[in-house]
Amino acid sequence: TAQVGSIQILPTFDCFRVEDRQGLHFEQRKALRDRDPIVFAPAEMVHWRFQRNYLYGRSLYHQSIPDWANLKQSIMNYARAANDVGVNASVHVMPDGADSEYLERYKSDLEDSLKSGIITQFYSL
């Protein structure tokens, strides 16, 4: 059976995956344009990547950005809903002599000020 015989600790230079005409290899460089990189065969490197359609894979953190945005939105929605339904609804009784047109204007003006959310306003003539 194969086993790891030893581990060589390398300095923290950048290591790049290189795919060219000679095949796949890895280069450890001191700088991006290092003219004399240390070259490693694929068997000498451990390389994991997620979603192979990217050279270095895709960060799992990057994958979670839409989920985080949805979670944030759902938390805000939950807090707003808890607040809206935790308050008794308001009943607006129109003054004597008010007609349907007055009610609609009153209702429209108030709803414009509230814009969105759970319905907590009720109107009667």
Side-chain angles (χ1 to χ4, degrees), residues 9-14 28 38:
I9 304 298
L10 299 171
T12 57
F13 303 138
D14 288 324
Q28 187 180 40
I38 302 169

Side-chain angles (χ1 to χ4, degrees), residues 91-110:
V91 177
H92 300 259
V93 179
M94 300 298 110
D96 290 337
D99 59 3
S100 298
E101 188 177 308
Y102 177 88
L103 174 66
E104 288 306 314
R105 246 189 348 264
Y106 178 86
K107 184 177 172 182
S108 175
D109 291 345
L110 186 59

Side-chain angles (χ1 to χ4, degrees), residues 82-96:
N83 185 50
D84 286 350
V85 299
V87 176
N88 288 333
S90 300
V91 177
H92 300 259
V93 179
M94 300 298 110
D96 290 337

Side-chain angles (χ1 to χ4, degrees), residues 17-115:
R17 177 186 171 95
V18 179
E19 296 180 38
D20 56 17
R21 292 180 193 164
Q22 289 83 28
L24 170 66
H25 66 276
F26 294 87
E27 295 179 350
Q28 187 180 40
R29 306 174 189 165
K30 293 180 184 177
L32 186 59
R33 302 212 185 273
D34 188 353
R35 294 178 188 265
D36 191 26
I38 302 169
V39 178
F40 295 94
E44 296 177 295
M45 298 295 287
V46 176
H47 180 231
W48 288 278
R49 64 180 170 177
F50 177 71
Q51 290 192 347
R52 296 181 60 137
N53 52 334
Y54 299 100
L55 182 63
Y56 295 102
R58 177 58 82 195
S59 162
L60 293 176
Y61 293 109
H62 180 79
Q63 292 297 111
S64 67
I65 290 172
D67 296 328
W68 172 245
N70 290 338
L71 177 62
K72 274 179 43 178
Q73 185 63 48
S74 67
I75 289 170
M76 291 184 343
N77 291 345
Y78 179 74
R80 183 176 184 151
N83 185 50
D84 286 350
V85 299
V87 176
N88 288 333
S90 300
V91 177
H92 300 259
V93 179
M94 300 298 110
D96 290 337
D99 59 3
S100 298
E101 188 177 308
Y102 177 88
L103 174 66
E104 288 306 314
R105 246 189 348 264
Y106 178 86
K107 184 177 172 182
S108 175
D109 291 345
L110 186 59
E111 287 178 350
D112 283 346
S113 68
L114 299 174
K115 286 295 181 196

